[in-house]
Amino acid sequence: MGVVPAYTLSMSAQAEDVRVTHYTPAGSIEAVLDYEMTEGRLFLMQVTEYLYPDQDRYYSQPQCTAVRSFFFRPDGTGDLRTNISAAEAVTVEEFSGVDVSRHWVDPITTWGDWDRIGTYNP
């Protein structure tokens, strides 16, 4: 069995859209962070977290017990969508007044300078 990376990155050719995928120690997708170029800088627009019965074994995304998706806007507003597998509905909560100053990433200036957007603490 190979080593599971902490995260992987995928991006457009000009790094105007960046997706960071985080994994559990067993290799399940734990979270996906989506950055988009806004006002000349990358902005963390969406965080989707996948919850599983445990962290010790591998689960595919459809096997998750819940999905939480946070959508952020530069003005500090956004919403949270929660889908629990056992429930029949998705809940949506709107929020405002969020400090999104840490969601901004200055342009990446050197190749390999990715840890500052790859780091994530669920």
Side-chain angles (χ1 to χ4, degrees):
M1 180 171 150
V3 176
V4 175
Y7 65 88
T8 57
L9 294 167
S10 57
M11 65 190 74
S12 63
Q14 290 78 30
E16 292 180 353
D17 299 300
V18 178
R19 173 168 278 184
V20 184
T21 304
H22 288 265
Y23 303 94
T24 66
S28 304
I29 294 177
E30 179 176 40
V32 176
L33 288 69
D34 289 310
Y35 292 83
E36 292 180 18
M37 191 63 71
T38 304
E39 300 174 19
R41 298 186 289 167
L42 288 174
F43 181 77
L44 177 60
M45 301 288 273
Q46 182 176 342
V47 175
T48 302
E49 299 174 329
Y50 297 89
L51 307 173
Y52 303 96
D54 63 67
Q55 299 276 319
D56 297 329
R57 73 174 264 241
Y58 172 79
Y59 295 92
S60 65
Q61 281 179 288
Q63 293 175 305
C64 69
T65 56
V67 178
R68 287 189 303 223
S69 296
F70 297 86
F71 298 89
F72 299 98
R73 290 183 278 287
D75 67 359
T77 62
D79 60 76
L80 164 62
R81 297 176 189 175
T82 305
N83 183 354
I84 299 172
S85 298
E88 294 185 19
V90 174
T91 61
V92 178
E93 303 171 56
E94 293 182 0
F95 52 83
S96 61
V98 175
D99 179 6
V100 293
S101 60
R102 294 184 57 195
H103 288 227
W104 293 98
V105 179
D106 290 326
I108 304 298
T109 56
T110 60
W111 184 256
D113 184 24
W114 302 111
D115 281 340
R116 61 187 160 136
I117 63 173
T119 303
Y120 173 69
N121 296 313

